[in-house]
Amino acid sequence: MTIETEVVVIGSGPGGYVAAIRAAQLGKKVAIIEKEYIGGVCLNVGCIPSKAMITAAHKYNDVKEYEQFGLNVPEITFDWDKVQAFRANAVEQLTDGVEYLLNGNNIEIVRGTARFEDEHTLSIESEEGQKTLKFEDCIIATGSRPRDIPPVRFSDRIVSSTEVLSFPERPDSLIVIGGGVIGIELATVYANFGTKVTVLEGQKSILPGTNRKLTNVVQRKLKEKGVEIVTNAMVNGSQETADGVTVTAEVKGKTEEYKADYVMLSIGRVVNTDDIGIEKAGVELDEYGLVKVDEQARTNKPHIYAIGDIIAGPQLAHKASYEAKIAAEAIAGMDSTIAYKCMPSVVYSEPEIAVTGVTSDEVKAKKLDAIQSSFQYAGNGRAIAMAETAGYVNLISDKATGKLIGCEIVGANASDLINELSLAIEKDLTVEDIAMTVHPHPTLGEIVMETAEIAADKPIHVVKK
Ligand code: FAD
């Protein structure tokens, strides 16, 4: 059987499905090919299920702090099957929604694994047999998968975030190898549910690449929860037993041993460009296996585009979706280009970390002529009324113009507060603009305004020296 289409999208994650919808809106005949799950990693085993588990675990653990509000709560327990049902339901609602949107936009959904036969042909394998698809333009959005390494290979007890999200039972103990974003988010989930969690991180601090002052706030909280954090830990071996796993690591010149029911490996992800016959299409990859693209997400083949985790830049769902819209518009002949000034990123830790634009570490490394101003959550009325006083906002502005160029937040609801700042950076707003924008009282958003007031040298709730 041969399918003919104008645009084919390979992969239905936040890159692929957004690209398909935008191309269809622009009048193209579109097919989308998916080998596993509509919605990709993000909706099925990434962003959404992890945030559902984070919420459930946080609410469970939060009850311990209710006494401070004058609330007496009898001992709280959990029903693991129902926790898992909550996660699965969140996933289902969203994946059903994506399927509804694809159908509503008359996009043909083709189930199966796609591989290039040549630069205008794909073969699609599925349980039902093999199909051929001929296309004019193609958007590759095949995403990424978990990585393992020689001393710790995936097995029944050495697993990835995918299995950890849907453990049939809450484990008593868990070793997390890799204290990056995924590692720290899921370490927090299980620590909140009472699992004994050990994080082994090879670098000198957790969340490598994120400013130390920000990560220190999160690290303190993890330690309060009983999480053991071992940094500079180079894992060099693992041994699976009937009821658990033993991991060995070189820590400060000594070999240490760690035991747990399970190990989660979260040491990065492999891009899915190795088994799609990309060489048959003549599409070039770089030395990391990433697809090389221009500012319209176009590869060296002018009718083939690539977006999301398989191209350079942070592996984030919103980055994939942004690139998806550019690629679809480029196919439709529009002159849209990838031209963001900031790509926000969030760690859904406790408290959350959100960063956008230039970071304070970049200011230092590049010796930028910038002003940095900070305001603590502890000085904000809403934060006090919420008992969420840990954290701060740091605004980074250009000294000469006062334009906002970056922002770092660690604290409650940082993931929501960051949006105003990304808009400000994109639209060249100054700290004065933010300071003079009325922020409702009492809100955490006022912390942003207060920080901007400090940057503009007109603080009200800080005594001027
Ligand atoms: P994917 O979402 O990986 O989708 C690719 C799709 O292509 C998959 O469905 C796959 O089955 C399909 N596919 C692959 N090869 C083929 C083929 N040959 N034929 C047909 N189909 C194929 N990002 C955030 O921004 N915020 C978060 O909070 C966040 N949390 C995360 C939590 C976890 C636990 C994980 C693992 C990731 C998280 N991410 C988060 C990252 C985010 O999920 C990815 O950046 C995003 O999903 C990438 O989108 P994509 O469209 O490039 O690829």
Side-chain angles (χ1 to χ4, degrees):
M1 180 190 167
T2 301
I3 304 166
E4 293 201 6
T5 190
E6 286 177 317
V7 177
V8 65
V9 181
I10 314 175
S12 69
Y17 86 76
V18 171
I21 291 173
R22 188 72 189 118
Q25 282 172 352
L26 293 168
K28 295 286 177 182
K29 181 175 184 242
V30 183
I32 190 164
I33 312 172
E34 174 53 57
K35 70 170 181 185
E36 205 167 359
Y37 23 47
I38 298 291
V41 167
C42 171
L43 264 53
N44 292 276
V45 292
C47 324
I48 298 304
S50 61
K51 268 78 252 180
M53 293 298 282
I54 285 169
T55 305
H58 182 72
K59 285 185 185 288
Y60 172 70
N61 191 59
D62 222 26
V63 167
K64 289 184 195 150
E65 290 166 18
Y66 277 16
E67 229 179 274
Q68 66 181 315
F69 303 111
L71 305 175
N72 301 321
V73 183
E75 201 196 342
I76 180 168
T77 58
F78 60 80
D79 177 332
W80 190 251
D81 289 345
K82 288 186 180 162
V83 171
Q84 286 295 338
F86 169 69
R87 171 195 57 76
N89 186 264
V91 168
E92 199 179 312
Q93 279 183 53
L94 288 158
T95 52
D96 283 357
V98 169
E99 203 155 342
Y100 167 81
L101 289 171
L102 292 172
N103 288 326
N105 282 284
N106 298 317
I107 294 160
E108 183 173 359
I109 301 172
V110 185
R111 303 273 178 175
T113 303
R115 289 188 187 87
F116 287 96
E117 287 298 321
D118 61 46
E119 62 179 73
H120 282 286
T121 315
L122 287 166
S123 83
I124 303 157
E125 259 178 64
S126 72
E127 282 170 7
E128 289 147 34
Q130 210 213 316
K131 290 176 190 153
T132 299
L133 187 144
K134 296 266 179 203
F135 62 86
E136 288 171 20
D137 293 286
C138 174
I139 300 175
I140 316 173
T142 46
S144 61
R145 60 183 188 272
R147 176 194 298 279
D148 61 0
I149 43 170
V152 264
R153 288 290 184 205
F154 289 132
S155 64
D156 286 348
R157 290 188 175 269
I158 300 176
V159 295
S160 75
S161 54
T162 301
E163 292 76 25
V164 169
L165 283 167
S166 54
F167 270 144
E169 291 173 352
R170 186 221 61 174
D172 288 335
S173 52
L174 176 70
I175 295 170
V176 173
I177 301 180
V181 178
I182 294 173
I184 291 305
E185 289 187 359
L186 293 179
T188 309
V189 165
Y190 281 92
N192 278 344
F193 275 126
T195 298
K196 168 83 190 88
V197 180
T198 305
V199 177
L200 303 179
E201 167 54 52
Q203 306 273 317
K204 45 180 198 267
S205 78
I206 57 163
L207 299 167
T210 306
N211 177 266
R212 269 302 262 286
K213 255 178 87 186
L214 299 166
T215 61
N216 282 345
V217 180
V218 170
Q219 176 149 334
R220 258 198 309 276
K221 191 78 182 179
L222 283 168
K223 287 191 171 164
E224 271 171 40
K225 291 177 190 297
V227 175
E228 184 185 2
I229 296 173
V230 188
T231 50
N232 295 307
M234 293 317 291
V235 172
N236 53 22
S238 61
Q239 176 83 47
E240 214 177 294
T241 58
D243 58 351
V245 198
T246 304
V247 170
T248 52
E250 183 85 6
V251 186
K252 293 182 192 133
K254 281 211 282 184
T255 299
E256 304 283 357
E257 207 175 78
Y258 303 90
K259 287 190 175 134
D261 294 346
Y262 288 93
V263 167
M264 176 175 89
L265 263 183
S266 47
I267 51 167
R269 296 177 62 85
V270 186
V271 290
N272 293 326
T273 54
D274 50 348
D275 187 27
I276 54 172
I278 205 156
E279 60 295 338
K280 290 191 183 167
V283 170
E284 283 175 11
L285 304 179
D286 70 9
E287 71 262 43
Y288 307 106
L290 297 168
V291 184
K292 290 192 208 169
V293 291
D294 68 10
E295 72 287 351
Q296 287 197 305
R298 190 185 281 112
T299 70
N300 58 306
K301 294 285 167 183
H303 64 293
I304 301 181
Y305 296 72
I307 56 172
D309 282 6
I310 58 165
I311 67 170
Q315 293 183 327
L316 293 168
H318 44 274
K319 171 181 165 285
S321 299
Y322 174 83
E323 291 158 355
K325 292 180 266 190
I326 304 291
E329 291 178 5
I331 287 174
M334 297 166 70
D335 59 5
S336 319
T337 51
I338 298 173
Y340 50 79
K341 289 192 196 143
C342 53
M343 179 54 67
S345 65
V346 175
V347 188
Y348 295 83
S349 44
E350 283 182 29
E352 293 177 349
I353 294 177
V355 175
T356 190
V358 170
T359 65
S360 46
D361 289 339
E362 279 169 345
V363 169
K364 210 166 149 192
K366 295 179 186 165
K367 296 192 174 67
L368 299 179
D369 207 7
I371 293 181
Q372 295 197 51
S373 33
S374 312
F375 192 83
Q376 299 287 328
Y377 271 58
N380 171 267
R382 186 74 197 282
I384 291 170
M386 289 166 71
E388 294 282 4
T389 51
Y392 64 90
V393 171
N394 184 38
L395 293 186
I396 302 165
S397 51
D398 177 64
K399 198 169 178 183
T401 61
K403 282 183 189 168
L404 189 73
I405 53 171
C407 173
E408 300 170 322
I409 306 176
V410 58
N413 298 15
S415 56
D416 294 317
L417 297 182
I418 204 73
N419 292 318
E420 170 186 8
L421 284 324
S422 290
L423 183 66
I425 295 171
E426 287 293 343
K427 293 294 156 205
D428 281 333
L429 298 187
T430 63
V431 284
E432 176 84 20
D433 293 326
I434 300 169
M436 293 312 287
T437 298
V438 181
H439 286 67
H441 177 73
T443 56
L444 297 178
E446 285 173 296
I447 307 172
V448 169
M449 182 183 74
E450 303 263 11
T451 318
E453 285 175 354
I454 295 169
D457 200 26
K458 42 164 90 170
I460 299 300
H461 294 103
V462 175
V463 178
K464 271 185 83 171
K465 298 222 171 88

